[in-house]
């Protein structure tokens, strides 16, 4: 999912950086000073959640959970996921520096979109209904992320088209896993701490 | 992510606690961040193989200067390569150009091969430099330095909170996994596993939110007004300026080499 330095065309990289800066600014504005600790702890927990490896057939995938991040954080998912990507690049060597912007957009914009589309639906109805919508949201955000990654590759040149298609197909199982996991996570959160979603969705 | 954390690997909170990182460690963190960015931008702008090879050599030189564990650093770099290897292997086949050889009727082009090598060199040079110059900073110092470089205050605070709580939440995750294990949970490709992992994530988030409420209360109790006072100050010495000038000269040299 991480795009590395040097792969993308310059306009794509610059456009991504500008869009990311806009998203981060918007996210920071929605974070009043009382909510920064919450966002920081959530950002850290998504960082840790991405360490969880879920077995799938002979292999395993690690979670991204950007849909869930969006559902809990709204626009604040932009700065939160940016911080996660920055730490990954600096301390673990994943991704790259100049592509930090486009990587942030590819992961955080679907998160924000998921929140806008599914945020209200998840808080409504029985926990089970909420969980179904959570699952749909989780699948949607991964689908959007892969589409964005494929799109940024395709924009950079036709020679990346096969790679872009490969990215799309390789992520179908990831999509299913994330949908199921997000669904159950929402189900649990709705049962254990029902005020979590309405509270966040209304802010 | 966990590919990077071998069983004995350290997480962020303890990463900077041990020995110093040789020559690099004495330099001003702000200068290191800025120079890493400059080097990254220049390297991405390069487009010829010789120049990129020199850029990678420069970053390996920096690695040697830093006294980081060389094998582990290179292993981490290779880990990133394993992510992009598919794209690189596909490139010769997807890029039109002079045929090099054919596999099952698909021609592989020289142009595609060069492009793939170019991307691999760029990506590795940049990420290695970033890991050496910025990754050797203590995470908290990184926050302070970014603050001094006029990053938005909210973002720096978010970064500091994230750094602070990654280790706490990782311990919580390991505790929950331990509890699952002791009850005979073994992950596999089945519904039960996915449901359990989903509940695990949900539980982590619920606990994280409750924890953050407690943290905020505790901070307010101690007079938190929404501002963290960042006290660490840095000073730019002549050695820093020299190092920056040297690295800039190298960058300029790379650009010239690229134009030739």
């Amino acid at each position: 999912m991480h795009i590395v330095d040097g792969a993308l065309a310059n306009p794509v990289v610059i456009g991504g950086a500008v869009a990311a800066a806009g998203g981060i600014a918007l996210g920071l504005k929605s974070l009043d000073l009382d909510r920064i600790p919450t966002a920081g702890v959530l950002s850290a927990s998504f960082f840790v959640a991405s360490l969880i490896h879920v077995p799938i057939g002979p292999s395993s995938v690690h979670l991204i959970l950007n849909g869930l991040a969006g559902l809990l954080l709204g626009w604040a998912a932009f700065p939160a996921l940016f911080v996660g990507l920055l730490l990954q690049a600096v301390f673990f060597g994943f991704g790259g520096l100049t592509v930090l912007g486009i990587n942030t957009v590819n992961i955080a914009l679907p998160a924000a979109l998921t929140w806008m589309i599914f945020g209200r639906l998840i808080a409504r109805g029985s926990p089970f209904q909420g969980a179904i919508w959570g699952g749909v949201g989780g699948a949607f955000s991964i689908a959007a992320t892969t589409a964005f990654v494929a799109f940024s590759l395709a924009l950079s040149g036709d020679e990346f088209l096969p790679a872009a298609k490969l990215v799309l197909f390789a992520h179908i199982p990831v999509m299913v896993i994330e949908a199921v996991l997000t669904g159950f996570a929402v189900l649990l959160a709705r049962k254990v701490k029902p005020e979590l979603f309405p509270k966040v969705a209304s802010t | 992510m966990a590919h990077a954390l071998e069983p004995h690997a350290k997480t962020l909170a303890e990463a900077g606690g041990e020995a110093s990182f040789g020559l690099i460690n004495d330099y001003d963190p702000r200068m290191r961040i800025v120079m890493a960015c400059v080097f990254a931008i220049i390297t991405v702008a390069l487009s010829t193989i010789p120049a990129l090879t020199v850029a990678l050599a420069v970053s390996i030189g920096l690695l040697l200067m830093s006294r980081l564990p060389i094998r582990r650093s290179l292993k981490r770099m290779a880990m990133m390569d394993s992510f992009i290897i598919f794209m690189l292997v596909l490139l010769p086949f997807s890029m039109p150009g002079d045929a090099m050889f054919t596999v099952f009727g698909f021609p592989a082009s020289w142009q595609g091969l060069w492009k793939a090598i170019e991307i691999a060199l760029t990506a590795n040079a940049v990420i290695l430099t970033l890991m050496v110059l910025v990754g050797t900073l203590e995470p908290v110092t990184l926050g302070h330095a970014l603050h001094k470089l006029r990053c938005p205050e909210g973002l720096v605070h978010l970064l500091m909170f994230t750094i602070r709580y990654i280790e706490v939440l990782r311990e919580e995750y390991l505790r929950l996994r331990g509890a699952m294990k002791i009850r005979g949970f073994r992950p596999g490709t089945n519904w039960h596993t996915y449901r359990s992992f989903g509940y695990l994530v949900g539980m982590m988030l619920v606990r994280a939110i409750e924890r953050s409420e407690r943290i905020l209360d505790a901070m307010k109790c101690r007079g938190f007004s929404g501002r963290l006072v960042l006290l660490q100050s840095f000073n730019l010495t002549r050695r820093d300026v020299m190092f920056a000038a040297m690295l800039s000269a190298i960058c300029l040299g790379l650009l010239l080499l690229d134009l030739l």
Side-chain angles (χ1 to χ4, degrees):
Chain A
M1 206 55 96
H2 299 281
I3 300 176
V4 294
D5 284 306
L8 298 178
N10 288 339
V12 181
V13 171
I14 295 166
V18 172
I24 291 170
L26 208 59
L28 286 178
K29 211 185 272 176
S30 78
L31 273 186
D32 51 39
L33 293 161
D34 266 10
R35 279 191 67 207
I36 285 188
T38 315
V41 175
L42 281 177
S43 169
S45 51
F46 283 109
F47 193 97
V48 173
S50 71
L51 298 172
I52 305 176
H53 274 236
V54 181
I56 168 167
S59 150
S60 71
V61 294
H62 79 86
L63 298 176
I64 304 170
L65 291 176
N66 54 344
L68 201 53
L71 290 174
L72 287 169
L73 287 166
W75 279 108
F78 253 97
L81 292 170
F82 169 77
V83 164
L85 285 174
L86 177 72
L87 292 174
Q88 283 193 6
V90 168
F91 293 104
F92 296 115
F94 286 134
L97 188 56
T98 57
V99 285
L100 213 48
I102 186 87
N103 277 339
T104 305
V105 173
N106 285 345
I107 288 188
L109 191 55
L113 287 175
T114 308
W115 170 69
M116 283 193 277
I117 302 172
F118 300 100
R120 267 159 231 285
L121 294 168
I122 279 169
R124 218 188 283 158
S126 70
F128 187 70
Q129 280 169 318
I132 300 281
W133 283 117
V136 177
F140 166 81
S141 70
I142 297 297
T145 298
T146 14
F148 284 175
V149 169
F151 185 60
S152 30
L153 283 172
L155 269 183
S156 298
D158 288 341
E159 67 269 21
F160 290 112
L161 274 177
K165 279 181 196 149
L166 189 74
V167 167
L168 275 177
F169 284 114
H171 278 87
I172 291 175
V174 182
M175 231 175 276
V176 176
I177 301 271
E178 292 253 344
V180 175
L181 257 74
T182 309
F184 278 120
V186 169
L187 183 65
L188 183 107
R190 279 287 306 265
K191 279 185 180 162
V192 177
K193 203 171 164 63
E195 69 273 23
L196 196 62
F197 289 110
K199 199 175 77 185
V200 181
S202 62
T203 45
Chain B
M1 275 301 313
H3 324 278
L5 288 176
E6 305 118 42
H8 303 294
K10 301 199 160 160
T11 45
L12 297 172
E14 16 174 8
E18 20 150 2
S20 72
F21 289 112
L23 285 169
I24 298 279
N25 204 41
D26 302 335
Y27 293 122
D28 188 328
R30 291 170 299 169
M31 186 273 294
R32 277 149 70 179
I33 295 172
V34 172
M35 285 321 290
C37 293
V38 170
F39 184 80
I41 292 168
I42 297 286
T43 308
V44 170
L46 300 177
S47 56
T48 56
I49 304 277
L52 284 167
T53 313
V54 176
L56 185 61
V58 170
S59 64
I60 291 176
L62 287 171
L63 173 67
L64 295 177
M65 260 174 82
S66 74
R67 272 196 233 142
L68 272 177
I70 292 177
R71 262 190 55 199
R72 226 178 52 213
S73 308
L74 290 179
K75 220 166 120 190
R76 282 195 176 168
M77 195 176 86
M79 225 92 82
M80 180 201 68
D81 291 331
S82 68
F83 280 119
I84 55 172
I85 195 80
F86 289 108
M87 190 182 75
L88 297 184
V89 169
L90 275 177
L91 263 178
F93 298 97
S94 58
M95 204 158 167
D98 310 323
M100 179 165 59
F101 57 84
T102 43
V103 179
F104 305 120
F106 293 106
S109 71
W110 284 106
Q111 280 87 342
L113 178 70
W114 292 128
K115 177 94 181 166
I117 293 175
E118 229 171 71
I119 292 175
L121 285 172
T122 315
N124 284 320
V126 172
I127 209 71
L128 197 55
T129 310
L130 184 67
M131 269 161 54
V132 168
L133 285 183
V134 187
T136 49
L137 287 175
E138 207 160 323
V140 178
T141 312
L142 173 68
H144 282 112
L146 285 175
H147 178 64
K148 289 276 153 43
L149 288 170
R150 311 214 176 271
C151 269
E153 206 175 15
L155 194 61
V156 175
H157 287 172
L158 191 58
L159 181 79
M160 306 284 265
F161 274 108
T162 308
I163 289 167
R164 168 68 183 79
Y165 284 101
I166 283 179
E167 185 54 31
V168 175
L169 288 164
R170 198 175 85 101
E171 262 162 32
E172 177 132 337
Y173 163 68
L174 292 177
R175 209 161 55 84
L176 286 168
R177 277 304 290 270
M180 288 163 85
K181 203 171 183 181
I182 223 165
R183 287 164 180 78
F185 173 76
R186 216 180 292 136
T189 309
N190 53 44
W191 191 248
H192 174 66
T193 302
Y194 298 149
R195 189 177 56 194
S196 306
F197 274 130
Y199 285 165
L200 170 66
V201 171
M203 204 58 226
M204 266 178 66
L205 290 176
V206 168
R207 286 195 180 168
I209 299 241
E210 285 182 346
R211 185 189 290 271
S212 78
E213 283 162 3
R214 287 200 303 275
I215 293 165
L216 187 63
D217 287 345
M219 287 176 70
K220 278 184 173 159
C221 208
R222 290 160 180 77
F224 178 62
S225 59
R227 283 196 55 154
L228 290 179
V229 186
L230 303 173
L231 289 174
Q232 204 167 344
S233 64
F234 308 104
N235 40 2
L236 206 62
T237 60
R238 265 188 58 189
R239 282 189 55 211
D240 295 323
V241 179
M242 290 266 285
F243 181 77
M246 216 171 68
L247 205 53
S248 309
I250 291 175
C251 287
L252 209 65
L254 283 173
L255 275 182
L256 284 175
L257 184 65
D258 196 47
L259 288 176
L260 287 178

